[in-house]
Amino acid sequence: MAGNHEAASAPQTISVSRSAWRWWKNLAARDGRVAATRQLLTALFEFVRDSTPERRRQHYGDAGYDWDHRVNTTSAAVGWRDRLLGVFHSPYQPTEAVLFHEMIAALSAEARFGFCDFVFIDLGSGKGRALLMASDYPFRRIVGLELLPALNYAAQENLSKYRSESQKCFAIESICADATEFTFPVEPTMLFLFNPFPEPGLKSVIENLERSLRDHPRKVYVLYHNPLLEHVLTESVALKKIYGTHQYAVYASD
Ligand SMILES: C[S@@+](CC[C@H](N)C(=O)[O-])C[C@H]1O[C@@H](n2cnc3c(N)ncnc32)[C@H](O)[C@@H]1O
């Protein structure tokens, strides 16, 4: 495992009520109190609806990867408290393997970089599936940051169990921390984002990245899977879009 990391301190416990309050406050500042309260009630209703055994069973649809690799990255096996926290931070969902490899292939065709110069960073790494899949490429090292301790624990278990003949990178770590406070390492970076934060969190991350690029100009690629808040990247002065489909967008520093 790589030793040096640049993470904010690991959260002790994440409070559901504090998370809900912050979520509501951000929405109220943007849309007003009535609209924020309505959105809170809708989110809670959807959470209850998605908690029925029938709905829960549908989540096992993402477990094929786990079966093939003998790991536990499925969203079906996440406890109710972590699922509720996911309503206010970002619900855990692993990236699909075929799409992950397609994204990396598209990026390397577009950019023609040397993997071994780059650190792969997944902000909001969940149970670590993207970290495992990234280890099929010869990255210099791989780092994941996950807010929820239970998911980070599952990621660490997965990293220790994972065996694959195609694995090329073995310097992998999963850190429990708030990724919105992450200080980027001063290395060429491939940043992977799969909708890890609501808009204020994504804005902080992109501002941190811009500051880091101003102080230490270097090559950074951002691979944004399911780019729901793409306008945050589009507005960035330090990043330019180099490729995209309806499923992902790729940005690069100058
Ligand atoms: C959609 S999942 C993506 C999982 C993983 N990156 C993948 O592609 O397989 C988003 C993850 O971001 C995490 N998350 C949300 N807010 C976070 C924060 N502030 N810091 C770190 N992780 C966060 C959630 O707990 C969740 O596990």
Side-chain angles (χ1 to χ4, degrees):
M1 300 231 174
N4 64 324
H5 57 75
E6 306 76 11
S9 56
Q12 299 301 309
T13 49
I14 311 288
S15 149
V16 173
S17 54
R18 210 172 311 126
S19 299
W21 167 241
R22 281 211 194 116
W23 184 87
W24 182 87
K25 222 167 50 167
N26 280 328
L27 281 180
R30 198 188 65 188
D31 303 338
R33 289 166 174 228
V34 174
T37 305
R38 204 176 295 131
Q39 287 179 68
L40 175 64
L41 293 175
T42 305
L44 292 175
F45 171 76
E46 283 170 3
F47 172 76
V48 173
R49 194 194 52 194
D50 284 344
S51 300
T52 61
E54 206 165 292
R55 288 287 185 118
R56 301 291 310 132
R57 207 175 306 127
Q58 287 171 7
H59 285 262
Y60 279 105
D62 67 15
Y65 179 87
D66 293 6
W67 181 255
D68 291 344
H69 297 277
R70 300 287 182 267
V71 288
N72 161 24
T73 64
T74 175
S75 61
V78 173
W80 73 267
R81 191 175 180 281
D82 288 316
R83 286 193 298 108
L84 183 55
L85 283 166
V87 171
F88 305 117
H89 294 280
S90 159
Y92 172 63
Q93 194 190 339
T95 292
E96 203 220 315
V98 173
L99 180 59
F100 182 84
H101 295 296
E102 183 190 316
M103 290 187 280
I104 299 279
L107 171 52
S108 53
E110 209 56 41
R112 304 197 174 281
F113 58 91
F115 284 96
C116 52
D117 297 327
F118 279 74
V119 53
F120 177 95
I121 299 175
D122 181 10
L123 295 185
S125 43
K127 292 175 157 188
R129 185 188 289 187
L131 308 179
L132 299 176
M133 296 188 293
S135 75
D136 277 353
Y137 302 88
F139 286 108
R140 177 192 289 192
R141 62 188 183 109
I142 295 171
V143 182
L145 268 86
E146 170 53 45
L147 183 70
L148 302 185
L151 299 187
N152 184 59
Y153 181 76
Q156 288 176 337
E157 294 263 287
N158 287 328
L159 295 182
S160 67
K161 272 192 221 149
Y162 184 71
R163 299 282 174 276
S164 167
E165 285 184 1
S166 53
Q167 187 168 7
K168 297 193 180 64
C169 175
F170 296 88
I172 319 175
E173 60 183 334
S174 175
I175 300 160
C176 190
D178 183 348
T180 63
E181 294 168 13
F182 182 61
T183 303
F184 284 90
V186 189
E187 299 165 60
T189 297
M190 186 182 295
L191 172 61
F192 183 67
L193 299 170
F194 177 16
N195 283 325
F197 328 106
E199 189 162 339
L202 183 61
K203 281 187 168 157
S204 312
V205 165
I206 297 303
E207 279 165 18
N208 292 344
L209 181 59
E210 287 175 338
R211 204 172 308 116
S212 173
L213 281 167
R214 259 196 316 275
D215 294 346
H216 304 280
R218 62 196 184 283
K219 204 72 213 176
V220 171
Y221 295 107
V222 182
L223 201 44
Y224 187 9
H225 173 199
N226 193 19
L228 292 178
L229 299 170
E230 193 178 348
H231 62 276
V232 176
L233 275 78
T234 312
E235 286 158 14
S236 165
V237 286
L239 300 169
K240 295 276 169 294
K241 187 166 184 171
I242 58 167
Y243 190 71
T245 71
H246 67 288
Q247 288 177 301
Y248 60 92
V250 184
Y251 284 74
S253 64
D254 285 333

